[in-house]
Amino acid sequence: MGRRRRNHSDDDDDALEREWLKKRQKSTAKEDDGNRDDDGRSKDETSNQTDKGAAHHNSETAASPAPATKKDDTNSDADKIERLRLKKQLKKQRQKEKKAEAAKQADEARQKKEKEKLQLQKMKKEQATKKNEKKKFSDTKQTNEFKSLRKGVKYLDLKVGNGPVVQHRKKIRVEYTLRAKNHTTGKIIDASKNFGFRLGKGEVIEGYDIGLEGMRVGGIRRLIVPKQAGYHNDDIGAGRGADLYFEIELLYVAP
């Protein structure tokens, strides 16, 4: 038996089915084209890769430092200026400390020099004082030796005057103290601040006339007058026949 012959309605159905399949294929192709990017990858793949790239970028961003901004540059400049200012301030302070130290050393050197100068002056003064004392002692030693005159009268000049010299029969004035036994601690027998007489006319004891010979106005002299040039055996307060100790300052000599 031969194949059953298809009728016209079957052909129409087949044509409709083919047309439907073709439309469906076109529609599917358009959806696929809409889900792909310019590189031919699907949007899901592109989305996944985009998410991965974003994650990778975020991780790199977190790992690497953020780029310097204008504000960061300003802060950096301010830090540099502050460091320079502090450096200058420290330099000035060091210079000031050096000057202060130099001034201190100069002051110490000056004080040391002045101290040495004062010590040298003190040493020279002490040496001069010792020299004067030695000379004074030598002079005193020499002058402590009384010189003898007539009738046992002795004299010692404590001070040599620079005025006129006494002359016989000229009026003179003296200040005197008369002691017993010695010139310093002996009992005072007589004294006067202004005693006047004529030298060599017998107005006083002979020891006075003899002992004042050669004196000048302003001079001071000590006399030791024995009894033969004094009051002989009379007792005037020092004992009978005792030596008399006079200290006389010549005040005036008449022209």
Side-chain angles (χ1 to χ4, degrees):
M1 293 177 59
R3 180 183 299 176
R4 187 177 61 86
R5 185 177 180 179
R6 300 178 63 181
N7 56 20
H8 181 68
S9 60
D10 292 331
D11 294 331
D12 292 335
D13 292 334
D14 292 334
L16 289 172
E17 187 177 359
R18 285 194 299 271
E19 187 176 358
W20 180 80
L21 289 172
K22 188 182 289 186
K23 287 181 179 181
R24 185 175 179 181
Q25 290 175 352
K26 288 181 179 181
S27 177
T28 302
K30 286 181 179 181
E31 288 179 359
D32 291 337
D33 293 336
N35 290 330
R36 293 182 180 277
D37 56 10
D38 296 335
D39 295 329
R41 293 175 296 181
S42 66
K43 287 186 177 181
D44 291 337
E45 292 176 351
T46 303
S47 177
N48 290 335
Q49 291 180 359
T50 301
D51 293 338
K52 289 180 181 180
H56 180 69
H57 176 72
N58 290 337
S59 64
E60 288 181 352
T61 303
S64 62
T69 62
K70 192 172 185 180
K71 186 176 181 180
D72 293 336
D73 294 339
T74 303
N75 291 336
S76 179
D77 292 340
D79 291 340
K80 288 181 180 178
I81 293 171
E82 182 66 17
R83 285 196 298 271
L84 289 173
R85 187 183 68 80
L86 290 174
K87 187 176 180 180
K88 288 182 179 179
Q89 187 176 358
L90 289 173
K91 186 177 180 180
K92 288 182 179 179
Q93 186 175 356
R94 285 194 295 268
Q95 290 176 348
K96 188 176 181 181
E97 289 175 354
K98 286 182 179 179
K99 288 182 179 180
E101 183 66 23
K104 183 179 178 182
Q105 291 179 356
D107 187 57
E108 288 178 352
R110 180 180 58 80
Q111 290 180 357
K112 184 178 180 181
K113 190 174 181 180
E114 289 180 355
K115 188 176 180 180
E116 290 177 351
K117 185 177 179 181
L118 290 174
Q119 288 178 347
L120 183 61
Q121 290 177 350
K122 186 178 179 181
M123 187 182 298
K124 287 182 178 180
K125 189 175 180 180
E126 289 177 352
Q127 290 176 351
T129 302
K130 288 180 179 179
K131 187 176 181 180
N132 290 334
E133 288 178 352
K134 187 176 180 180
K135 184 179 179 182
K136 186 177 179 181
F137 176 77
S138 178
D139 293 343
T140 303
K141 187 176 180 181
Q142 291 178 1
T143 56
N144 277 342
E145 298 177 359
F146 281 78
K147 295 179 180 180
S148 298
L149 298 171
R150 301 186 312 273
K151 289 194 173 184
V153 177
K154 296 178 180 180
Y155 79 93
L156 172 65
D157 283 325
L158 300 180
K159 179 182 177 182
V160 177
N162 54 10
V165 180
V166 294
Q167 296 178 9
H168 279 280
R169 300 186 181 278
K170 293 290 185 178
K171 189 172 183 177
I172 64 174
R173 291 189 178 278
V174 298
E175 177 182 345
Y176 75 91
T177 301
L178 172 59
R179 292 176 182 268
K181 296 184 180 180
N182 61 66
H183 287 100
T184 55
T185 60
K187 176 185 174 182
I188 295 177
I189 300 172
D190 191 14
S192 176
K193 295 287 185 181
N194 189 8
F195 176 63
F197 62 98
R198 290 182 184 274
L199 188 69
K201 289 194 71 174
E203 295 179 1
V204 293
I205 60 175
E206 192 176 6
Y208 239 76
D209 289 335
I210 296 172
L212 294 184
E213 291 178 357
M215 279 193 73
R216 288 179 175 272
V217 174
I220 301 174
R221 180 175 286 188
R222 285 178 176 174
L223 297 178
I224 301 176
V225 180
K227 65 178 182 177
Q228 63 269 22
Y231 295 97
H232 300 283
N233 290 325
D234 294 341
D235 186 1
I236 62 170
R240 294 178 63 86
D243 291 341
L244 304 177
Y245 294 84
F246 288 93
E247 186 168 304
I248 303 169
E249 180 177 358
L250 183 59
L251 303 175
Y252 169 78
V253 173

Short mmCIF file of all heavy atoms in Angstrom, two decimals, residues 5-30:
data_model
loop_
_atom_site.label_atom_id
_atom_site.label_comp_id
_atom_site.label_asym_id
_atom_site.label_seq_id
_atom_site.Cartn_x
_atom_site.Cartn_y
_atom_site.Cartn_z
N ARG A 5 -1.46 10.05 1.63
CA ARG A 5 -1.26 11.37 1.05
C ARG A 5 -1.78 12.41 2.02
O ARG A 5 -2.89 12.32 2.53
CB ARG A 5 -2.05 11.44 -0.31
CG ARG A 5 -1.81 12.72 -1.05
CD ARG A 5 -2.55 12.66 -2.38
NE ARG A 5 -2.35 13.89 -3.11
CZ ARG A 5 -2.84 14.14 -4.29
NH1 ARG A 5 -3.62 13.19 -4.90
NH2 ARG A 5 -2.59 15.30 -4.88
N ARG A 6 -0.87 13.36 2.20
CA ARG A 6 -1.25 14.42 3.12
C ARG A 6 -2.16 15.39 2.39
O ARG A 6 -1.98 15.70 1.24
CB ARG A 6 -0.01 15.16 3.61
CG ARG A 6 0.96 14.21 4.36
CD ARG A 6 2.18 14.95 4.78
NE ARG A 6 1.88 16.02 5.71
CZ ARG A 6 2.83 16.85 6.23
NH1 ARG A 6 4.09 16.74 5.86
NH2 ARG A 6 2.45 17.77 7.08
N ASN A 7 -3.09 15.90 3.16
CA ASN A 7 -4.04 16.82 2.55
C ASN A 7 -3.56 18.24 2.74
O ASN A 7 -2.54 18.50 3.35
CB ASN A 7 -5.43 16.60 3.17
CG ASN A 7 -5.40 16.73 4.73
OD1 ASN A 7 -4.50 17.32 5.24
ND2 ASN A 7 -6.41 16.13 5.37
N HIS A 8 -4.30 19.18 2.33
CA HIS A 8 -3.91 20.59 2.34
C HIS A 8 -3.84 21.15 3.74
O HIS A 8 -2.98 21.95 4.06
CB HIS A 8 -4.95 21.37 1.49
CG HIS A 8 -4.66 22.83 1.42
ND1 HIS A 8 -3.56 23.34 0.74
CD2 HIS A 8 -5.29 23.89 2.00
CE1 HIS A 8 -3.60 24.63 0.85
NE2 HIS A 8 -4.67 24.98 1.61
N SER A 9 -4.69 20.67 4.62
CA SER A 9 -4.70 21.19 6.00
C SER A 9 -3.43 20.82 6.74
O SER A 9 -2.91 21.58 7.54
CB SER A 9 -5.91 20.66 6.76
OG SER A 9 -5.89 19.24 6.82
N ASP A 10 -2.88 19.66 6.45
CA ASP A 10 -1.61 19.26 7.09
C ASP A 10 -0.48 20.16 6.64
O ASP A 10 0.40 20.51 7.40
CB ASP A 10 -1.31 17.79 6.77
CG ASP A 10 -2.32 16.83 7.44
OD1 ASP A 10 -2.83 17.23 8.55
OD2 ASP A 10 -2.46 15.74 6.91
N ASP A 11 -0.46 20.48 5.39
CA ASP A 11 0.60 21.37 4.89
C ASP A 11 0.53 22.74 5.55
O ASP A 11 1.55 23.35 5.88
CB ASP A 11 0.49 21.51 3.36
CG ASP A 11 0.78 20.18 2.65
OD1 ASP A 11 1.58 19.39 3.25
OD2 ASP A 11 0.31 20.02 1.55
N ASP A 12 -0.69 23.14 5.72
CA ASP A 12 -0.84 24.46 6.39
C ASP A 12 -0.32 24.42 7.82
O ASP A 12 0.31 25.35 8.31
CB ASP A 12 -2.32 24.88 6.39
CG ASP A 12 -2.83 25.18 4.96
OD1 ASP A 12 -1.95 25.54 4.12
OD2 ASP A 12 -4.01 25.16 4.78
N ASP A 13 -0.60 23.28 8.49
CA ASP A 13 -0.12 23.16 9.88
C ASP A 13 1.40 23.16 9.94
O ASP A 13 2.02 23.75 10.82
CB ASP A 13 -0.66 21.88 10.51
CG ASP A 13 -2.20 21.95 10.73
OD1 ASP A 13 -2.69 23.12 10.86
OD2 ASP A 13 -2.80 20.92 10.84
N ASP A 14 2.01 22.45 9.00
CA ASP A 14 3.47 22.40 8.96
C ASP A 14 4.04 23.78 8.71
O ASP A 14 5.08 24.18 9.30
CB ASP A 14 3.96 21.42 7.89
CG ASP A 14 3.62 19.95 8.25
OD1 ASP A 14 3.50 19.69 9.50
OD2 ASP A 14 3.61 19.16 7.35
N ALA A 15 3.45 24.50 7.83
CA ALA A 15 3.94 25.86 7.53
C ALA A 15 3.84 26.77 8.75
O ALA A 15 4.73 27.53 9.09
CB ALA A 15 3.14 26.45 6.34
N LEU A 16 2.72 26.62 9.46
CA LEU A 16 2.52 27.43 10.67
C LEU A 16 3.55 27.06 11.74
O LEU A 16 4.12 27.91 12.45
CB LEU A 16 1.10 27.24 11.21
CG LEU A 16 -0.03 27.87 10.36
CD1 LEU A 16 -1.39 27.44 10.91
CD2 LEU A 16 0.08 29.36 10.35
N GLU A 17 3.86 25.76 11.89
CA GLU A 17 4.80 25.30 12.90
C GLU A 17 6.20 25.80 12.59
O GLU A 17 6.93 26.25 13.46
CB GLU A 17 4.80 23.77 12.97
CG GLU A 17 5.63 23.24 14.10
CD GLU A 17 5.55 21.69 14.19
OE1 GLU A 17 4.84 21.09 13.38
OE2 GLU A 17 6.22 21.17 15.11
N ARG A 18 6.57 25.77 11.32
CA ARG A 18 7.90 26.25 10.93
C ARG A 18 8.03 27.77 11.18
O ARG A 18 9.05 28.25 11.63
CB ARG A 18 8.14 25.93 9.44
CG ARG A 18 8.46 24.44 9.17
CD ARG A 18 9.02 24.23 7.77
NE ARG A 18 8.07 24.64 6.76
CZ ARG A 18 7.15 23.83 6.23
NH1 ARG A 18 7.06 22.56 6.62
NH2 ARG A 18 6.31 24.30 5.30
N GLU A 19 6.96 28.44 10.83
CA GLU A 19 6.98 29.88 11.04
C GLU A 19 7.10 30.21 12.52
O GLU A 19 7.82 31.11 12.92
CB GLU A 19 5.70 30.50 10.45
CG GLU A 19 5.73 32.00 10.48
CD GLU A 19 4.48 32.60 9.80
OE1 GLU A 19 3.66 31.85 9.31
OE2 GLU A 19 4.38 33.84 9.82
N TRP A 20 6.44 29.46 13.38
CA TRP A 20 6.48 29.69 14.83
C TRP A 20 7.87 29.42 15.37
O TRP A 20 8.41 30.16 16.17
CB TRP A 20 5.44 28.76 15.49
CG TRP A 20 5.41 28.91 17.01
CD1 TRP A 20 4.81 29.85 17.71
CD2 TRP A 20 6.07 28.03 17.91
NE1 TRP A 20 5.01 29.67 19.04
CE2 TRP A 20 5.80 28.50 19.18
CE3 TRP A 20 6.84 26.84 17.78
CZ2 TRP A 20 6.27 27.89 20.34
CZ3 TRP A 20 7.29 26.27 18.95
CH2 TRP A 20 7.03 26.78 20.20
N LEU A 21 8.51 28.32 14.89
CA LEU A 21 9.86 27.98 15.30
C LEU A 21 10.84 29.05 14.89
O LEU A 21 11.77 29.43 15.64
CB LEU A 21 10.27 26.62 14.72
CG LEU A 21 9.59 25.38 15.33
CD1 LEU A 21 9.96 24.14 14.52
CD2 LEU A 21 9.99 25.18 16.78
N LYS A 22 10.67 29.55 13.67
CA LYS A 22 11.56 30.61 13.19
C LYS A 22 11.45 31.86 14.06
O LYS A 22 12.45 32.47 14.43
CB LYS A 22 11.22 30.91 11.72
CG LYS A 22 12.23 31.84 11.08
CD LYS A 22 11.83 32.16 9.63
CE LYS A 22 12.03 30.93 8.73
NZ LYS A 22 11.79 31.27 7.33
N LYS A 23 10.22 32.23 14.38
CA LYS A 23 10.02 33.40 15.24
C LYS A 23 10.63 33.21 16.63
O LYS A 23 11.23 34.10 17.20
CB LYS A 23 8.52 33.71 15.35
CG LYS A 23 7.92 34.29 14.09
CD LYS A 23 6.42 34.57 14.30
CE LYS A 23 5.77 35.18 13.05
NZ LYS A 23 4.35 35.47 13.27
N ARG A 24 10.46 31.97 17.11
CA ARG A 24 11.01 31.70 18.45
C ARG A 24 12.51 31.78 18.43
O ARG A 24 13.14 32.27 19.35
CB ARG A 24 10.55 30.30 18.90
CG ARG A 24 10.96 29.99 20.33
CD ARG A 24 10.40 28.67 20.78
NE ARG A 24 10.86 28.40 22.16
CZ ARG A 24 10.54 27.28 22.81
NH1 ARG A 24 9.79 26.35 22.24
NH2 ARG A 24 10.99 27.13 24.05
N GLN A 25 13.15 31.24 17.39
CA GLN A 25 14.60 31.31 17.27
C GLN A 25 15.08 32.77 17.21
O GLN A 25 16.08 33.15 17.83
CB GLN A 25 15.08 30.53 16.05
CG GLN A 25 14.92 29.02 16.20
CD GLN A 25 15.30 28.25 14.94
OE1 GLN A 25 15.54 28.88 13.89
NE2 GLN A 25 15.31 26.94 15.00
N LYS A 26 14.37 33.58 16.43
CA LYS A 26 14.73 35.00 16.34
C LYS A 26 14.62 35.71 17.69
O LYS A 26 15.48 36.49 18.08
CB LYS A 26 13.85 35.70 15.31
CG LYS A 26 14.18 35.32 13.87
CD LYS A 26 13.25 36.08 12.91
CE LYS A 26 13.58 35.76 11.46
NZ LYS A 26 12.70 36.52 10.52
N SER A 27 13.53 35.38 18.37
CA SER A 27 13.30 36.00 19.68
C SER A 27 14.39 35.60 20.66
O SER A 27 14.92 36.41 21.42
CB SER A 27 11.94 35.59 20.22
OG SER A 27 11.74 36.11 21.50
N THR A 28 14.79 34.31 20.63
CA THR A 28 15.85 33.82 21.51
C THR A 28 17.18 34.46 21.17
O THR A 28 17.98 34.82 22.04
CB THR A 28 15.98 32.31 21.40
OG1 THR A 28 14.70 31.71 21.75
CG2 THR A 28 17.04 31.78 22.34
N ALA A 29 17.42 34.63 19.85
CA ALA A 29 18.67 35.25 19.40
C ALA A 29 18.75 36.69 19.87
O ALA A 29 19.79 37.19 20.30
CB ALA A 29 18.77 35.15 17.89
N LYS A 30 17.60 37.42 19.83
CA LYS A 30 17.59 38.82 20.29
C LYS A 30 17.88 38.92 21.80
O LYS A 30 18.59 39.80 22.27
CB LYS A 30 16.25 39.45 19.97
CG LYS A 30 16.07 39.77 18.49
CD LYS A 30 14.71 40.41 18.26
CE LYS A 30 14.51 40.78 16.80
NZ LYS A 30 13.20 41.43 16.56
#
